[in-house]
Amino acid sequence: MAVAKVSKILLACHKSEKEELLSSLQKKGIVHITKVKEAGRGEEKEFFDLINACEEVIAYLEGIKPEERKTGKKVAISLEEFTVKEDLPSLVQKVKGWKEEVNSLAEKEKEIDQELAKIKPLASLPSEIEDLYSLEKFEVALGFFPTPKLFIEAKGEEEKRGFYLKEISRSLNRVYALVLFPKEKGKEVREFLSGKDFTPIDLRKFSGTIEKNIERLNSLKEEMRKKREELAKEMEKLTSFLPQLKIGADYYQNVKVRREIENHLHQTKSSVVIEGWVKERDYKTLFSLVSKFPTAVLTRIKPELNEEPPVALENKRIFQPFEMVVNLYGMPSYQEIDPTPYLTPFFIIFFALCLSDAGYGLITLFLSLLLLGRLKRMKNFLILLAICSGFTIGAGAITNSWFGDILERLAIPFLKTFKDRLVLFDPFQNPLTFFYLSLALGYIHLNYGLLLEIYDSFRIRNPLPTLFNEGFWLILLNSLLSFFLLGKTFYSLKPIFISLILVAAAGLITLSRFHPNYLSRHLLFFSTLSSFLLSLGFRLRYFKILFLLLFLLTIFFSLMDNRKKLTIGKLIPYCLAFATFLLYMGNLIPAPIFLALGVGSIFLSPINRQLVKKLIWGAYNLYGGTSFIGIILSYIRLMALGMMTAGIGMAVNSIAWMVKGIPVLGIILTLFVLLIGHTYNIAVSILGAFVHTLRLNYVEFFPRFFTGGGKRFSPFKLETKYVEIK
């Protein structure tokens, strides 16, 4: 349940073994190869056209055999079978040739249909077409008017314009006609016909009667149809080559990837050097693989200064689906903890409370399990959804929500009894319970994040900066809460809570920007301020002895830290501070005078003057704690979304029961409203639950302990689109 340990490796071999070694590394898929130089123009381009052609042919053959595309089933083969046995380019060209021929025939059929559509309305013409266009003194125009009205108008101008107009047929409101006119009036008649939207049809390329041409075109179309059907049958036989084509496409895609990797490696005339990373647990496997190559050498090397290793997440199976949440945000850096197992329980709880309907949880659980076997690419998401849905059933049961209030409306006694036994609180009857629960979860989540940051600082052996920031916030927040919640009941604990509050506040002001060089100066203000404030409120039995030790320790550290800068003049403030302290211990001066003269003299001495700036920033850091109030309040969205889901469900039920009384159609309309309404509510509520649960983790939780920005461990491995390697 952490970021996997990785080692940087150097692998070298002779060029004669380069191809086989890279292929073995790709099949094993355990090495993250570092691209050490910019790629030049490589050989991979030669595979680009072949892969594209394969994918084009595969898509075409799947169109002939649609069940292949619908199932989306990959070709299952062993690793040894993942190679190309057929002459793939020839097979691709063969399929493309058949495809082009089928398309050509289809295009010709389309042209024939267009010709038939053009001449069929003119089928009643008895004359042969060439005779119509061979007249010496007259011209013939065949065509159509778009409306009968325009034809009648043209017919009315027949004698006046000097042409002969005869109707041939009518189709789709068009009037097909023959126009005969003297050649000398050709221009005038054509302009007139154009004004009447007459569309000419040119039949000069035809010979014989229209009927004979229609028969010829129909016969030709039938021949082409039969030929296309024969080709289609042959193409169906070619679908048997789909597995080979899919294997080939994936195979050459991986060869292309190998070529691309080669271009990023150090190479000489006789050798190739590979730099990369391997998980510590896979190093022996890699060593065993490399040992099979006579010229290959493998060794561990130290990373360069400030070089960030790639990050791989390793989690138990129950947590693996929730890695998706981290991946969406960004990988942790190599030095950070993997947040996956820590966010998982809260992600589940928040999702369940946002959805908080047992009926919706049952539906979502059923659908996610149903799709789990069919959508393998979404396996992790569906498992995550199934787990969250299971907890949603529980959240809905304890908040009295089953498809809104449908069980109340159905009034089935044993269901109502079963439901009532599971209810802990009803948000609509007692919303404050849900409100306090949301705030409590937010408070716990906030503290959990602070504890994780403290744990992580100890893990990387650098605890002081975190202890003096997150540690003090942890003390301050919990002391404040304890003071207000327990102070009245356990009055004797009040001094302890106030002491912790003051110590934490002083620590945040002075030590939040901790650096060893400033330990004495921070300790000065921390000890004197916290002790003085403590003395104002409480009289502990041995308080003055404790105060004496703290103050003397402060002076000692300050003098030791500044011993190289000390002069007699600079010692005067310390002497004054010690004198005022003795007077205060003897009750000769009150605490305020001691604070002003004693502590102030050390605080404002030239040696410690730069501490002022740091204390101002520390005070600003303490003021920034007000943001924690907004963070905790943002968790009220758990209550808001949970009640919104139930509220919309109840509204849908109310509408459904309103239409139930309609005669005859009442029951059908009720079922329709319930189906549409609750389907919509489930979809919107699941989306809202995911978005807001992600937000609570990304915005409120992760900033407490998680930085991110790591580089993903991406092993050089086989990547397939159509093939599943067993």
Side-chain angles (χ1 to χ4, degrees):
M1 297 192 301
V3 173
K5 290 184 178 180
V6 296
S7 296
K8 190 173 184 181
I9 54 104
L10 187 70
L11 176 58
C13 72
H14 192 270
K15 270 199 170 179
S16 61
E17 294 181 336
K18 175 188 68 172
E19 181 65 27
E20 190 178 352
L21 177 61
L22 282 172
S23 178
S24 298
L25 290 175
Q26 190 177 31
K27 288 176 181 177
K28 191 61 70 175
I30 58 176
V31 179
H32 174 104
I33 295 179
T34 304
K35 297 178 180 179
V36 295
K37 66 184 183 71
E38 290 298 321
R41 188 177 180 83
E43 303 172 12
E44 70 275 1
K45 194 175 186 317
E46 68 184 71
F47 300 106
F48 186 78
D49 292 336
L50 177 59
I51 294 165
N52 282 347
C54 279
E55 291 185 342
E56 182 185 337
V57 166
I58 289 168
Y60 181 72
L61 291 178
E62 284 183 338
I64 296 173
K65 204 172 181 181
E67 60 271 16
E68 288 281 342
R69 185 178 295 174
K70 285 179 182 177
T71 58
K73 191 175 180 181
K74 291 188 174 185
V75 180
I77 58 171
S78 65
L79 190 59
E80 291 74 21
E81 293 173 313
F82 189 48
T83 185
V84 176
K85 297 177 182 178
E86 303 283 338
D87 183 358
L88 195 66
S90 298
L91 182 58
V92 168
Q93 288 304 318
K94 183 178 180 181
V95 175
K96 288 182 78 174
W98 284 86
K99 175 188 171 184
E100 288 170 4
E101 190 170 353
V102 170
N103 289 343
S104 175
L105 287 172
E107 193 64 34
K108 287 178 180 177
E109 277 189 62
K110 187 178 178 181
E111 290 176 4
I112 290 171
D113 285 334
Q114 290 174 349
E115 294 294 333
L116 284 170
K118 184 195 297 185
I119 66 174
K120 272 185 177 180
L122 306 174
S124 60
L125 277 175
S127 305
E128 294 189 350
I129 295 170
E130 58 269 27
D131 292 341
L132 294 175
Y133 291 105
S134 61
L135 299 174
E136 292 185 7
K137 296 183 179 180
F138 291 89
E139 283 187 34
V140 172
L142 295 168
F144 64 87
F145 294 92
T147 63
K149 181 182 177 182
L150 291 171
F151 171 76
I152 293 169
E153 290 176 358
K155 187 72 173 173
E157 298 283 330
E158 185 177 15
E159 293 184 7
K160 180 180 178 181
R161 300 283 180 176
F163 62 82
Y164 171 72
L165 179 61
K166 180 183 179 182
E167 179 180 334
I168 299 173
S169 66
R170 297 195 180 200
S171 176
L172 299 175
N173 209 36
R174 293 176 178 177
V175 179
Y176 288 83
L178 178 146
V179 185
L180 183 67
F181 51 87
K183 287 186 176 182
E184 61 269 16
K185 290 190 175 184
K187 183 178 179 182
E188 179 187 343
V189 173
R190 277 191 287 270
E191 287 179 356
F192 170 76
L193 293 174
S194 178
K196 299 299 180 183
D197 294 334
F198 178 78
T199 302
I201 299 174
D202 191 356
L203 302 180
R204 295 178 194 276
K205 66 178 182 179
F206 295 97
S207 61
T209 63
I210 299 291
E211 284 187 355
K212 287 183 179 179
N213 278 280
I214 291 173
E215 288 175 8
R216 180 180 60 81
L217 289 173
N218 280 329
S219 176
L220 185 60
K221 180 183 175 182
E222 183 62 22
E223 288 177 14
M224 289 185 177
R225 187 187 62 77
K226 288 180 180 178
K227 191 173 182 182
R228 188 161 58 84
E229 286 178 356
E230 290 173 4
L231 285 173
K233 289 177 182 178
E234 293 296 323
M235 288 294 287
E236 280 190 28
K237 293 179 184 178
L238 287 177
T239 57
S240 62
F241 291 103
L242 263 174
Q244 289 93 325
L245 286 164
K246 290 181 176 181
I247 293 170
D250 278 346
Y251 176 81
Y252 281 112
Q253 177 62 36
N254 283 282
V255 173
K256 176 173 166 283
V257 170
R258 286 205 299 273
R259 295 291 186 272
E260 290 171 348
I261 286 291
E262 286 179 32
N263 290 329
H264 290 284
L265 302 178
H266 285 309
Q267 298 188 56
T268 66
K269 290 183 179 179
S270 58
S271 65
V272 60
V273 179
I274 301 170
E275 278 187 29
W277 301 83
V278 64
K279 294 178 185 176
E280 195 62 43
R281 62 181 174 84
D282 291 330
Y283 185 83
K284 287 184 179 179
T285 305
L286 178 62
F287 185 83
S288 176
L289 184 150
V290 173
S291 300
K292 297 176 183 178
F293 296 86
T295 68
V297 179
L298 173 68
T299 183
R300 285 187 174 95
I301 59 174
K302 286 186 177 181
E304 296 178 10
L305 187 64
N306 298 324
E307 184 179 11
E308 276 289 320
V311 176
L313 304 181
E314 285 186 339
N315 288 289
K316 293 181 180 178
R317 185 174 296 179
I318 187 66
F319 297 121
Q320 287 174 2
F322 295 88
E323 290 178 0
M324 179 189 75
V325 179
V326 179
N327 291 333
L328 287 171
Y329 185 85
M331 299 296 286
S333 68
Y334 186 69
Q335 300 299 328
E336 283 188 302
I337 59 173
D338 173 12
T340 304
Y342 306 105
L343 70 85
T344 297
F346 285 97
F347 189 96
I348 294 170
I349 292 169
F350 294 163
F351 181 94
L353 289 176
C354 285
L355 193 54
S356 68
D357 188 284
Y360 293 173
L362 284 168
I363 295 293
T364 310
L365 178 62
F366 172 75
L367 290 176
S368 56
L369 293 176
L370 180 66
L371 296 173
L372 193 56
R374 302 184 180 184
L375 303 175
K376 292 185 178 180
R377 290 184 181 181
M378 299 178 67
K379 178 182 176 181
N380 282 340
F381 171 75
L382 291 171
I383 293 174
L384 181 150
L385 184 60
I387 294 170
C388 292
S389 300
F391 279 82
T392 300
I393 297 170
I398 65 175
T399 56
N400 196 26
S401 181
W402 296 78
F403 295 102
D405 60 348
I406 201 165
L407 294 185
E408 299 283 350
R409 294 177 179 275
L410 291 174
I412 300 174
F414 78 91
L415 285 178
K416 189 176 184 307
T417 304
F418 169 75
K419 172 186 73 71
D420 290 342
R421 285 178 180 174
L422 299 175
V423 175
L424 292 182
F425 69 93
D426 188 333
F428 290 93
Q429 299 294 329
N430 189 9
L432 283 179
T433 303
F434 209 166
F435 178 79
Y436 292 140
L437 175 63
S438 300
L439 291 182
L441 285 170
Y443 183 77
I444 294 168
H445 208 211
L446 173 63
N447 280 273
Y448 187 44
L450 295 173
L451 284 170
L452 284 175
E453 179 63 15
I454 294 171
Y455 159 73
D456 198 29
S457 68
F458 276 96
R459 188 183 63 85
I460 62 175
R461 299 179 182 178
N462 185 27
L464 289 180
T466 302
L467 284 175
F468 291 138
N469 191 51
E470 280 78 7
F472 281 129
W473 278 121
L474 201 63
I475 294 170
L476 181 61
L477 291 172
N478 288 283
S479 298
L480 280 169
L481 184 67
S482 301
F483 177 79
F484 288 111
L485 293 182
L486 304 176
K488 292 182 180 179
T489 307
F490 303 96
Y491 189 78
S492 60
L493 296 177
K494 261 190 171 183
I496 297 174
F497 295 148
I498 293 178
S499 300
L500 290 172
I501 291 167
L502 295 175
V503 168
L508 285 166
I509 291 173
T510 59
L511 297 172
S512 62
R513 290 173 173 258
F514 175 83
H515 190 282
N517 293 338
Y518 302 110
L519 175 60
S520 62
R521 299 166 189 175
H522 289 165
L523 180 62
L524 161 71
F525 189 75
F526 171 72
S527 59
T528 52
L529 176 64
S530 60
S531 301
F532 176 70
L533 292 174
L534 187 62
S535 71
L536 293 179
F538 311 102
R539 296 293 173 186
L540 299 179
R541 185 176 180 183
Y542 300 106
F543 171 71
K544 287 198 174 183
I545 297 173
L546 176 64
F547 194 93
L548 172 64
L549 291 174
L550 284 170
F551 190 73
L552 291 177
L553 192 63
T554 297
I555 293 178
F556 172 76
F557 275 117
S558 186
L559 289 171
M560 289 300 294
D561 192 39
N562 299 298
R563 60 186 181 277
K564 295 181 180 180
K565 304 176 185 178
L566 287 175
T567 62
I568 295 175
K570 291 179 180 179
L571 281 171
I572 293 174
Y574 291 93
C575 295
L576 177 61
F578 190 70
T580 55
F581 176 71
L582 292 177
L583 292 171
Y584 170 65
M585 296 298 292
N587 293 323
L588 297 175
I589 60 173
I593 294 176
F594 162 69
L595 182 65
L597 296 176
V599 179
S601 61
I602 298 176
F603 179 66
L604 295 175
S605 69
I607 297 174
N608 297 313
R609 198 167 288 165
Q610 58 180 300
L611 183 59
V612 175
K613 294 180 182 178
K614 296 195 173 292
L615 294 177
I616 292 172
W617 279 109
Y620 179 76
N621 178 50
L622 183 63
Y623 170 75
T626 55
S627 64
F628 288 128
I629 299 172
I631 290 170
I632 294 171
L633 288 175
S634 70
Y635 285 80
I636 296 173
R637 71 185 67 242
L638 297 175
M639 179 192 75
L641 287 168
M643 293 184 69
M644 181 189 74
T645 302
I648 295 175
M650 292 166 67
V652 170
N653 295 337
S654 296
I655 296 169
W657 255 251
M658 286 169 62
V659 301
K660 190 175 69 171
I662 298 174
V664 183
L665 296 176
I667 298 298
I668 296 173
L669 288 174
T670 299
L671 294 174
F672 179 77
V673 170
L674 289 173
L675 178 64
I676 298 300
H678 285 297
T679 300
Y680 168 80
N681 198 22
I682 289 174
V684 171
S685 298
I686 288 175
L687 179 62
F690 263 113
V691 169
H692 289 283
T693 302
L694 287 173
R695 185 198 176 280
L696 288 174
N697 280 281
Y698 290 165
V699 179
E700 317 299 0
F701 183 53
F702 278 8
R704 308 280 78 78
F705 70 98
F706 184 61
T707 304
K711 179 174 62 176
R712 191 184 303 279
F713 184 87
S714 301
F716 175 51
K717 62 181 180 180
L718 295 173
E719 296 181 1
T720 61
K721 181 179 179 181
Y722 303 106
V723 171
E724 182 181 357
I725 299 174
K726 296 181 181 178

